[in-house]
Amino acid sequence: MPAGGDQPRIEEFLGEPTRDPVRWRWLWEGDHAFPIRSDRPFLGRLLVAFRRLLRPFVRLPQNDLWERQRVFNLILLEWLAARDGERLAERLGILEGALPERTAEILRHNDALYARLDQKLDRYRHGTTELSAVLSGALAAVESQPAAARLAPLVRAQEEASYLELERRYRGTEEEIAERLAVYLPRLAGRGTVLDLGCGRGESLALFGRHGIPARGVDLSASMVARCRERGLDAEVGDAFGTLAVAEPESLGGVVSFHVIEHLPADEVDRLVRLAARALAPGGVLILETPNPLSVVVAARNFWLDPTHRRPIHPESLILSCRLAGLEPVERLDLRPFPATERLPEISLEELPESSRLLAHRVNEIRDRLDDLLFGFQDYAVVAEKPGRG
């Protein structure tokens, strides 16, 4: 009998039957017979009486089959009840076994999240401190100036803070930039002191120093130079042209500039190359890196993320400037190919029937040419050497 003394009734199995397995067990264990009924009036009562009269004669020959069916139904109900219990116990066991591991995993995940949060908070605190220092210095600079001149230092401080955030967002982390610059180490090693024009946060100065290449930098941003000096790097506030103009002729083993010349007018780029050639010692190397305008995606989209960019510089015009300045040999390095996930998809020939492969191959050739035009490399560098070494 179901718990609570709720006595089952035959009516629960008529029409829409109950889904309660306990009540079905009551039905089969008690071998309860279903009533013989009829909704018809007088004729219905005659049919009911006739069926009740025949029931013993019909059931008697089927008793053995009926008993087997009844026992089978009871066994099935018991098995289902046992399986439900086993499954519940199994699930509870799995949960009990997995709970400590899952709890530990959640705690580790939380620890990692808190560590990342602490890093971000430290970065924001550092940025706030930097901004506060820049603002304080700008305010101190304007306190003694006439009213008309007081805005310039404040505007300059705001521009420096904005450009620093722009570099953080789009150029990459200091670690990523240092990794990209490693390609130049073999070309600069053993040539003497390297001057970095527009040294920024000092990624190149730190990298060169770690590999035994003496280097110093110059940058227009006082906050950038301050960051370099905090790291023990040799950097000063200054203009690239002024620094090269006062440098002793043939005194430098290398002049490098990474993503600076695209900020200059065309004639200034040529002047920069000529001043660098003058300052280089025989065998010295000039390296100029800039966004690649041969990539349509770079020239039409990525280049303009930085509002201070003036115009893309075609590599052939930059190579010509180097040669006219007396530098030879001159080499172009293609840098930073676009990830495959951003490029045009290629048709897999192996998945096609033989009859379609020639056409697919030609489509792939067109795809290759179009892909190189649209994407290709994100940056390029011109490496030019001053003749006369050794």
Side-chain angles (χ1 to χ4, degrees):
M1 182 181 294
D6 182 14
Q7 178 66 40
R9 295 175 296 109
I10 286 294
E11 286 74 11
E12 297 180 38
F13 303 91
L14 304 176
E16 182 67 26
T18 178
R19 265 56 173 180
D20 185 354
V22 177
R23 283 172 145 67
W24 279 101
R25 186 182 182 88
W26 167 85
L27 177 71
W28 297 115
E29 282 183 338
D31 196 12
H32 298 283
F34 285 88
I36 298 175
R37 296 175 179 175
S38 176
D39 296 331
R40 299 178 182 181
F42 177 75
L43 182 59
R45 288 195 293 271
L46 289 177
L47 289 173
V48 168
F50 182 70
R51 289 174 182 172
R52 286 176 180 171
L53 181 64
L54 290 179
R55 173 182 275 183
F57 299 100
V58 174
R59 186 171 182 180
L60 185 61
Q62 296 181 345
N63 269 346
D64 184 58
L65 180 60
W66 174 257
E67 184 63 19
R68 289 182 187 180
Q69 182 65 51
R70 190 176 71 85
V71 172
F72 173 79
N73 291 344
L74 287 170
I75 292 173
L76 183 60
L77 286 171
E78 290 177 1
W79 183 82
L80 289 174
R83 287 294 296 165
D84 287 342
E86 290 175 4
R87 288 174 183 171
L88 179 59
E90 182 182 353
R91 290 175 182 176
L92 287 175
I94 292 173
L95 288 175
E96 288 175 356
L99 186 60
E101 181 182 349
R102 294 294 181 265
T103 303
E105 185 178 343
I106 291 172
L107 291 175
R108 288 194 299 271
H109 182 66
N110 285 344
D111 290 343
L113 288 177
Y114 280 119
R116 290 181 62 186
L117 180 61
D118 288 340
Q119 290 175 355
K120 288 187 177 182
L121 288 175
D122 287 341
R123 191 181 75 185
Y124 291 144
R125 280 193 291 267
H126 183 69
T128 303
T129 302
E130 281 187 345
L131 188 59
S132 177
V134 170
L135 181 60
S136 298
L139 290 173
V142 302
E143 286 176 352
S144 59
Q145 294 183 2
R150 288 182 180 179
L151 284 178
L154 293 175
V155 171
R156 180 62 181 168
Q158 190 274 334
E159 288 176 348
E160 287 191 2
S162 298
Y163 194 74
L164 181 61
E165 181 60 26
L166 191 72
E167 279 207 332
R168 284 174 180 161
R169 284 177 179 267
Y170 299 117
R171 194 177 175 202
T173 65
E174 295 186 30
E175 293 77 13
E176 290 170 341
I177 295 173
E179 184 178 351
R180 296 175 200 164
L181 297 178
V183 67
Y184 303 116
L185 292 174
R187 300 170 183 275
L188 295 170
R191 296 181 185 268
T193 300
V194 174
L195 173 64
D196 184 355
L197 306 174
C199 61
R201 299 175 294 192
E203 298 93 344
S204 66
L205 301 180
L207 177 69
F208 297 158
R210 288 195 299 269
H211 289 81
I213 300 174
R216 61 187 179 92
V218 60
D219 201 286
L220 288 172
S221 170
S223 61
M224 294 285 194
V225 171
R227 292 189 65 177
C228 291
R229 289 177 175 173
E230 287 174 4
R231 301 169 62 185
L233 304 174
D234 185 1
E236 61 183 18
V237 178
D239 172 74
F241 297 96
T243 303
L244 287 174
V246 300
E248 289 292 328
E250 301 188 347
S251 61
L252 297 174
V255 175
V256 299
S257 187
F258 307 110
H259 291 265
V260 171
I261 58 175
E262 63 269 18
H263 298 265
L264 303 176
D267 57 337
E268 292 291 278
V269 174
D270 184 69
R271 179 172 168 240
L272 183 76
V273 171
R274 288 186 282 112
L275 284 172
R278 171 183 172 274
L280 285 173
V285 174
L286 171 65
I287 298 176
L288 300 174
E289 182 181 305
T290 188
N292 178 25
L294 302 183
S295 163
V296 173
V297 172
V298 172
R301 185 189 69 185
N302 296 2
F303 185 86
W304 306 107
L305 285 171
D306 187 340
T308 64
H309 285 174
R310 288 184 176 245
R311 65 180 187 90
I313 299 173
H314 198 286
E316 291 303 322
S317 66
L318 188 57
I319 289 172
L320 179 61
S321 291
C322 291
R323 285 180 172 150
L324 290 176
L327 301 176
E328 193 70 47
V330 184
E331 178 186 2
R332 187 183 98 197
L333 301 180
D334 292 320
L335 306 169
R336 288 208 303 146
F338 277 88
T341 53
E342 297 184 25
R343 304 177 76 111
L344 298 178
E346 186 173 4
I347 300 174
S348 176
L349 302 183
E350 291 76 11
E351 300 175 0
L352 297 176
E354 188 67 33
S355 59
S356 302
R357 291 185 181 180
L358 179 59
L359 176 60
H361 175 69
R362 291 176 178 173
V363 171
N364 278 340
E365 289 180 334
I366 297 173
R367 171 261 173 207
D368 291 343
R369 296 175 62 183
L370 184 60
D371 187 72
D372 288 339
L373 178 64
L374 291 175
F375 297 98
F377 295 85
Q378 299 180 64
D379 302 321
Y380 78 90
V382 165
V383 181
E385 185 173 335
K386 187 168 184 175
R389 187 184 189 188

